[in-house]
């Protein structure tokens, strides 16, 4: 490892989020240096440790491993630093006058006798104090950096800690470092726990136990749970903390008294919710019941389906069927009538049961009555499909609610512009793919729907539940508090689509045809993993694109697992090699264990409400801008800028996002994705490798969801026995949610008013 010393003559590039900086160091010769620095200004004197490397594009560079500031000893160094722009209001000329007046004593004068700066022409007493404050702030930050580096905290994270707590950080870290997990995004319980151990916080500290309990509930939310039974929470938290269960049990009671968790006795156990999760369910239940009651208060009694008014309504719907050339079965007709009569309707049914046809007639009816409609779906793909199927514009729920990005400088978090104070302006709102909607998105939607607006929620309850917490559609149906119409008749028959027929057979637990006599459902018995790889690549590159008239990138590999030979992580590496091989014209960048290359298919792995996107015209002129990229959004890497260390990804509808290195953990390769992640999407062709896996995972629900993601063709590669076992396996991982209970509890209150 080599050492360099010099001053920063020029900053070429700086990423303010992670501190990654490219700069020129002057120390006899000018050397390009790269590394992470919390706060760096031109003119600063540094001592660096690291190694020289040869960059393919930018040539010889010094890669900094560690560094420290060095106070400039000579007058020239002081003048250079003060005049570099590091101190607001001090330029090169003024810096020269300051150093000429005070010489090598300049920094001591600024720190100890700042009022003396006013002796210099052009510096008022107020400006003198401002200069001193700026240098003091920078000194405080540097001291904090040194302190935090002792505990293995990265420079970028240290900056965020210092900006959050300022000089309080020393007291907070010594008393309760677990506060960092609550206050600073990116520091979870595990990082805070590592830090606490280094500081010397005891294993059985009450701060540690409480933080561990809250972290356990957060982890459960990542699995989709709204709460954990107390027995499960105690067991999980005790294992995490490596403590006796009694110590955890006691702190659960304390957290409940502080209202940081909600503990409710329900049945034989006490269910423990994070406070925000319990409030979200309670809020949704209340808004749903208010919405359901709102139209009755506004319109009087419900529209009857019998009597003269009922016959008139039925006649109008039947005339509309004739005019539109649409023929509905009895359940579809009932759904249309219920959507007219009720402020809230849930429409459910499997593939091919006519949900889209039913929605189309609802739309035609409401439009014929002069009513304003809004259509929405959770993802861009689902919204685009809804637009194509109805002929009316559908948007993502986030765009419909007008997501506004965070503004840290104004201490404003990301939020929706449409809310209770600024509700959606519509008479009817139809939301498709409701099985994908989690509790928080549903809460935001309900806040923006005012009583008097009809809300029609459409989805397939047999799909996997949302990636986020809760199982909203399932709980709404289970509450039995609102009208539900479940379509059952299959309109796309066997001669037209075996995908649909087999999906319903899977759902009923019946055997499916694996004899390859179908035109859109194929099974290739393969027991060798390398052979599965070979045929998968062959199908994507050669066989399926002309068969389904699609690009190879539109053909999706879906797998139950993340790990293993047929898991997402392994398959993506193999598929990338064959579908987007290395090429001198394509730049690539290594981030952690993943190599990203221009042209790669990638997926956003979590909701980011702050990511900015723009759509540009063919001439490069921005024509639309917005914020928010969401879990499951799929795009293509269009450009990698090695100098700026950024990656540009283009998502659906031409939305282009530029990621810095610190944000790259939000995306992953998407040549293969888990079936759960593919929920709500539709692909021209789907390939599913099924050769075994955990019994709890390999179930009927998962197979059904995977099959129904395909529009034109399904190909299963693997074991017939595994497919049959999945159809027979009805065990599902239990998801702890209770929106249905909250609805039933509150319904009594509404009925009594």
């Amino acid at each position: 490892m080599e050492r360099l010393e010099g001053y920063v003559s020029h900053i070429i590039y700086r990423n303010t989020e992670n501190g990654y900086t490219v700069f020129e160091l002057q120390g006899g010769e000018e050397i390009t240096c790269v590394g992470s620095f919390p706060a760096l200004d031109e003119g600063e004197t540094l001592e660096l440790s690291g190694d020289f490397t040869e960059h393919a594009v930018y040539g010889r560079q010094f890669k900094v491993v560690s560094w420290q500031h060095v106070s400039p000893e000579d007058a020239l160094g002081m003048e250079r630093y003060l005049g570099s722009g590091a101190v607001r209001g001090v330029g090169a000329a003024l810096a020269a006058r300051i150093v000429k007046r005070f010489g090598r004593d300049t920094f001591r004068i600024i720190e100890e006798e700042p009022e003396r700066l006013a002796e210099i022409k052009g510096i008022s007493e107020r400006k003198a104090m401002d200069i001193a404050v700026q240098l003091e702030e920078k000194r405080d930050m540097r001291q904090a950096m040194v302190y935090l580096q002792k505990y293995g905290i990265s420079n970028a994270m240290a900056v965020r800690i210092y900006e959050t707590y300022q000089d309080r950080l020393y007291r907070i870290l010594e008393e309760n470092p677990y506060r960092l997990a609550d206050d600073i995004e990116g520091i979870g319980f595990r990082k805070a726990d590592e830090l606490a151990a280094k500081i010397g916080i005891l294993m059985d500290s009450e701060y540690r136990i409480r933080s561990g309990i809250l972290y356990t509930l957060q982890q459960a939310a990542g699995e989709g749970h709204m709460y954990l039974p107390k027995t499960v929470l105690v067991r999980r938290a005790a294992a995490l903390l490596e403590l006796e269960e009694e110590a955890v049990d006691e702190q659960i009671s304390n957290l409940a008294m502080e209202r940081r968790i909600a503990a409710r006795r329900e049945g034989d156990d006490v269910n423990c919710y994070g406070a925000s999760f319990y409030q979200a369910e309670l809020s949704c239940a209340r808004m749903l019941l208010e919405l359901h009651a709102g139209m009755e208060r506004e319109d009087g009694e419900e529209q009857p389906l019998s009597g003269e008014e009922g016959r008139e309504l039925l006649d109008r719907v039947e005339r509309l069927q004739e005019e539109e050339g649409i023929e509905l079965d009895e359940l579809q007709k009932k759904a249309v009538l219920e959507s007219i009569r009720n402020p809230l309707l849930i429409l459910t049914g499997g593939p091919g049961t006519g949900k889209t046809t039913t929605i189309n007639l609802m739309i035609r009816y409401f439009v014929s009555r002069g009513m304003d409609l809004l259509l929405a779906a959770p993802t861009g793909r689902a919204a685009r499909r809804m637009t194509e199927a109805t002929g009316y514009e559908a948007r993502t729920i986030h765009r419909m609610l007008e997501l506004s990005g965070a503004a840290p400088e104004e201490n404003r978090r990301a939020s929706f512009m449409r809310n209770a104070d600024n509700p959606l302006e519509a008479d009817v709102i139809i939301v498709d793919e409701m099985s994908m909607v989690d509790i928080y998105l549903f809460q935001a939607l309900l806040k923006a729907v005012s009583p008097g607006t009809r809300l029609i929620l459409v989805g397939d309850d047999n799909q996997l539940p949302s990636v986020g917490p809760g199982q909203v559609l399932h709980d709404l149906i289970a509450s039995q508090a609102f009208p539900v119409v479940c379509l059952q008749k299959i309109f796309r028959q066997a001669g037209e689509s075996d995908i649909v027929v087999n999906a319903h057979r899977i759902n009923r637990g019946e055997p499916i045809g694996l004899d390859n006599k179908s035109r859109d459902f194929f099974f290739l018995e393969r027991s060798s993993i390398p052979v599965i790889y070979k045929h998968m690549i062959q199908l994507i590159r050669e066989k399926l694109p002309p068969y389904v008239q699609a690009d190879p990138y539109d053909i999706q590999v879906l797998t139950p697992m993340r790990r293993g030979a047929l898991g997402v992580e392994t398959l993506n590496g193999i598929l990338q090699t064959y579908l987007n091989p290395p090429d001198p014209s394509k730049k690539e960048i290594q981030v952690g264990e993943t190599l990203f290359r221009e042209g790669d298919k990638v997926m956003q792995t979590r909701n980011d409400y702050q990511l900015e996107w723009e759509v540009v015209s063919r001439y490069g002129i921005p024509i639309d801008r917005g914020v928010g990229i969401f879990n499951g959004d799929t795009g293509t890497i269009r450009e990698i800028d090695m100098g700026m260390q950024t990656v540009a990804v283009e998502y659906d509808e031409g939305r282009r996002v530029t990621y810095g290195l610190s944000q790259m953990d939000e995306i992953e390769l998407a040549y293969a994705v888990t079936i759960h992640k593919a929920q709500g999407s539709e692909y021209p062709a789907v390939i599913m490798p099924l050769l075994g896996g955990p019994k709890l995972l390999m179930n009927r629900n998962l197979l059904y969801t995977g099959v129904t993601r395909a529009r034109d063709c399904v190909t299963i590669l693997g074991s017939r026995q595994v497919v049959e076992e999945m159809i027979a396996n009805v065990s599902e991982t239990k998801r702890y949610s209770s929106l249905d209970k909250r609805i039933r509890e509150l319904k009594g209150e509404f009925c009594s008013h």
Side-chain angles (χ1 to χ4, degrees):
M1 192 172 292
E2 300 189 50
R3 301 174 72 83
L4 298 177
E5 186 172 327
Y7 71 92
V8 180
S9 60
H10 175 53
I11 293 177
I12 300 169
Y13 167 73
R14 177 161 178 77
N15 184 321
T16 55
E17 291 188 1
N18 61 13
Y20 179 83
T21 310
V22 182
F23 63 94
E24 300 290 354
L25 186 80
Q26 183 62 254
E29 63 172 316
E30 199 163 63
I31 298 168
T32 302
C33 302
V34 297
S36 289
F37 295 81
L40 194 64
D41 294 306
E42 292 178 357
E44 294 197 47
T45 302
L46 303 176
E47 184 181 292
L48 310 174
S49 296
D51 296 294
F52 282 99
T53 60
E54 193 69 30
H55 192 280
V57 178
Y58 302 103
R60 187 169 181 256
Q61 296 180 339
F62 188 76
K63 190 172 183 180
V64 179
V65 175
S66 62
W67 54 272
Q68 63 180 19
H69 286 93
V70 179
S71 294
E73 300 274 332
D74 61 334
L76 180 60
M78 293 178 185
E79 181 182 328
R80 192 185 295 125
Y81 177 66
L82 288 173
S84 68
V87 180
R88 289 188 313 276
V90 179
L94 185 55
R97 294 206 301 274
I98 293 171
V99 175
K100 184 178 180 181
R101 174 74 177 81
F102 298 116
R104 296 182 63 173
D105 217 18
T106 297
F107 279 10
R108 186 195 65 76
I109 293 291
I110 294 174
E111 290 176 4
E112 298 176 10
E113 304 174 71
E115 67 280 356
R116 289 190 58 191
L117 290 174
E119 297 171 14
I120 297 166
K121 186 178 179 182
I123 299 181
S124 64
E125 286 189 11
R126 183 175 178 180
K127 186 168 185 175
M129 297 309 296
D130 182 54
I131 292 169
V133 167
Q134 288 187 61
L135 282 187
E136 182 68 22
E137 285 176 349
K138 290 179 181 290
R139 189 183 69 172
D140 289 347
M141 176 179 275
R142 287 172 190 151
Q143 287 176 344
M145 299 300 109
V146 173
Y147 174 78
L148 293 168
Q149 282 170 359
K150 288 191 305 184
Y151 300 116
I153 293 175
S154 70
N155 291 329
M157 191 60 73
V159 171
R160 290 165 66 186
I161 294 171
Y162 178 78
E163 288 176 347
T164 302
Y165 299 124
Q166 300 290 318
D167 58 358
R168 294 180 297 127
L169 74 87
Y170 305 101
R171 179 176 57 79
I172 287 167
L173 288 174
E174 287 167 9
E175 291 179 2
N176 178 19
Y178 294 97
R179 270 192 61 180
L180 274 66
D182 295 333
D183 298 341
I184 301 173
E185 190 175 346
I187 297 184
F189 169 79
R190 292 193 182 278
K191 283 185 182 177
D193 202 32
E194 287 174 16
L195 180 59
K198 291 174 182 175
I199 290 172
I201 302 295
L202 297 175
M203 289 273 289
D204 60 355
S205 158
E206 67 175 47
Y207 293 128
R208 180 173 185 265
I209 298 172
R210 292 185 191 190
S211 185
I213 292 166
L214 295 172
Y215 175 74
T216 302
L217 287 173
Q218 286 173 359
Q219 291 296 100
E223 300 166 19
H225 301 304
M226 294 299 297
Y227 68 87
L228 287 178
K230 187 177 181 182
T231 50
V232 177
L233 175 59
V234 168
R235 185 174 67 248
R236 286 193 184 189
L240 169 74
L241 297 164
E242 298 179 0
L243 293 172
E244 295 296 323
E245 292 186 359
E246 290 75 14
V248 173
D249 199 321
E250 180 183 349
Q251 292 303 329
I252 287 176
S253 301
N254 290 335
L255 284 168
M257 283 191 288
E258 293 171 7
R259 298 192 176 181
R260 297 188 70 188
I261 66 172
R264 290 183 56 91
R265 177 162 292 283
E266 294 170 339
D268 297 330
D269 206 340
V270 172
N271 294 335
C272 299
Y273 302 73
S276 65
F277 290 96
Y278 181 73
Q279 288 304 320
E281 283 195 340
L282 201 61
S283 168
C284 285
R286 189 172 297 281
M287 287 187 289
L288 283 163
L289 291 165
E290 286 174 353
L291 181 67
H292 191 55
M295 193 174 289
E296 290 177 12
R297 287 195 299 269
E298 195 169 290
D299 298 345
E301 293 185 8
E302 289 186 359
Q303 186 100 24
L305 276 178
S306 56
E308 189 175 338
E309 288 184 66
R311 282 194 297 275
E312 286 179 13
L313 179 59
L314 198 57
D315 288 344
R316 282 204 299 269
V317 170
E318 288 178 345
R319 279 198 305 273
L320 198 57
Q321 282 187 87
E322 291 176 17
E323 291 168 11
E324 298 293 333
I326 297 173
E327 187 175 343
L328 304 182
D329 72 359
E330 288 306 308
L331 280 174
Q332 289 175 302
K333 197 178 296 181
K334 179 184 177 185
V336 174
L337 293 168
E338 293 288 358
S339 74
I340 298 167
R341 296 175 63 244
N342 292 283
L344 177 62
L345 172 69
I346 298 155
L347 175 63
T348 185
T353 55
K355 293 193 296 294
T356 300
T357 303
T358 308
I359 292 170
N360 277 330
L361 198 69
M362 290 176 183
I363 291 171
R364 303 303 183 272
Y365 175 85
F366 292 126
V367 168
S368 73
R369 308 295 289 178
M371 301 171 82
D372 293 325
L373 276 82
L374 288 176
L375 308 185
T379 67
R381 282 175 179 262
R384 192 163 62 246
R385 288 208 323 273
M386 197 178 187
T387 299
E388 292 166 357
T390 63
Y392 286 81
E393 183 194 8
R395 291 175 287 173
T396 64
I397 299 172
H398 292 90
R399 291 201 76 177
M400 180 176 74
L401 297 179
E402 298 175 19
L403 177 66
S404 171
E409 67 280 0
E410 300 173 18
N411 199 28
R412 190 182 78 228
R413 301 181 67 181
S415 60
F416 293 107
M417 301 299 288
R418 293 292 182 172
N419 49 42
D421 297 323
N422 181 29
L424 292 164
E425 296 169 6
D427 299 305
V428 183
I429 299 171
I430 303 176
V431 182
D432 200 5
E433 294 288 358
M434 270 300 299
S435 62
M436 293 185 67
V437 176
D438 66 31
I439 192 70
Y440 284 121
L441 185 56
F442 191 52
Q443 183 182 27
L445 172 66
L446 291 176
K447 283 180 180 178
V449 179
S450 53
T453 300
R454 286 177 171 82
L455 182 61
I456 300 165
L457 306 175
V458 185
D460 182 351
D461 187 35
N462 291 306
Q463 299 282 2
L464 292 169
S466 57
V467 175
Q471 44 185 359
V472 171
L473 181 62
H474 177 274
D475 284 356
L476 289 177
I477 295 169
S479 74
Q480 299 182 330
F482 314 108
V484 177
V485 177
C486 180
L487 303 180
Q488 295 171 346
K489 182 178 178 182
I490 304 173
F491 288 90
R492 285 181 275 175
Q493 294 300 326
E496 195 176 332
S497 175
D498 284 322
I499 295 173
V500 170
V501 172
N502 282 336
H504 284 275
R505 285 177 177 166
I506 290 167
N507 199 34
R508 294 193 297 266
E510 299 170 2
I512 60 174
L514 299 175
D515 53 11
N516 291 329
K517 292 180 180 179
S518 168
R519 292 181 297 175
D520 63 3
F521 200 102
F522 303 101
F523 172 74
L524 304 178
E525 180 91 44
R526 301 290 185 269
S527 58
S528 165
I529 286 172
V531 171
I532 289 177
Y533 293 159
K534 175 187 170 185
H535 287 295
M536 192 183 298
I537 293 159
Q538 216 171 30
L539 285 165
I540 297 171
R541 290 170 69 177
E542 302 166 20
K543 305 289 187 185
L544 287 174
Y547 190 74
V548 296
Q549 297 182 328
D551 189 274
Y553 267 37
D554 293 327
I555 293 162
Q556 189 63 54
V557 175
L558 300 181
T559 177
M561 299 159 291
R562 286 200 59 82
R563 295 181 176 82
L566 294 177
V568 163
E569 294 171 3
T570 302
L571 288 175
N572 271 320
I574 293 167
L575 293 170
Q576 181 193 46
T577 302
Y578 287 93
L579 301 179
N580 189 30
D583 188 292
S585 67
K586 294 180 179 179
K587 292 192 282 293
E588 51 189 47
I589 188 169
Q590 185 82 33
V591 182
E593 299 294 315
T594 306
L595 178 72
F596 293 99
R597 182 177 295 130
E598 288 177 340
D600 273 337
K601 182 178 179 180
V602 294
M603 175 180 280
Q604 176 80 10
T605 59
R606 63 172 179 258
N607 290 341
D608 190 326
Y609 298 96
Q610 299 181 39
L611 273 180
E612 297 179 357
W613 54 260
E614 67 176 16
V615 179
V616 297
S617 70
R618 57 186 297 186
Y619 304 107
I621 300 169
I623 55 176
D624 193 11
R625 284 192 174 92
V627 292
I629 299 294
F630 306 105
N631 194 351
D633 284 356
T634 304
T636 304
I637 294 179
R638 296 300 185 197
E639 183 183 2
I640 295 175
D641 189 318
M642 300 302 295
M644 302 290 281
Q645 296 281 289
T646 58
V647 176
V649 178
E650 185 175 310
Y651 288 98
D652 292 337
E653 303 168 329
R655 295 171 300 150
R656 195 175 176 110
V657 175
T658 300
Y659 292 86
L661 280 184
S662 65
Q663 300 165 305
M664 287 295 289
D665 62 342
E666 295 189 12
I667 62 173
E668 64 184 18
L669 295 175
Y671 299 100
V673 301
T674 61
I675 294 172
H676 213 139
K677 285 282 189 185
Q679 187 188 1
S681 295
E682 183 181 77
Y683 310 98
V686 160
I687 299 170
M688 286 195 289
L690 301 174
L691 200 58
K695 185 177 180 183
L696 199 59
L697 189 64
M698 307 290 283
N699 58 40
R700 181 186 299 175
N701 192 223
L702 194 84
L703 181 62
Y704 173 82
T705 301
V707 165
T708 54
R709 296 310 88 210
R711 184 179 69 236
D712 301 318
C713 183
V714 169
T715 304
I716 296 174
L717 285 162
S719 163
R720 182 186 303 268
Q721 182 180 341
V722 168
V723 174
E724 291 171 351
E725 287 173 353
M726 288 181 77
I727 294 171
N729 182 12
V730 293
S731 65
E732 296 176 39
T733 305
K734 178 174 175 56
R735 181 168 284 206
Y736 296 113
S737 68
S738 52
L739 177 59
D740 55 333
K741 293 176 185 173
R742 302 288 84 81
I743 291 168
R744 286 195 292 270
E745 286 171 359
L746 290 179
K747 191 177 179 184
E749 292 181 22
F750 278 80
C751 292
S752 63
H753 291 316

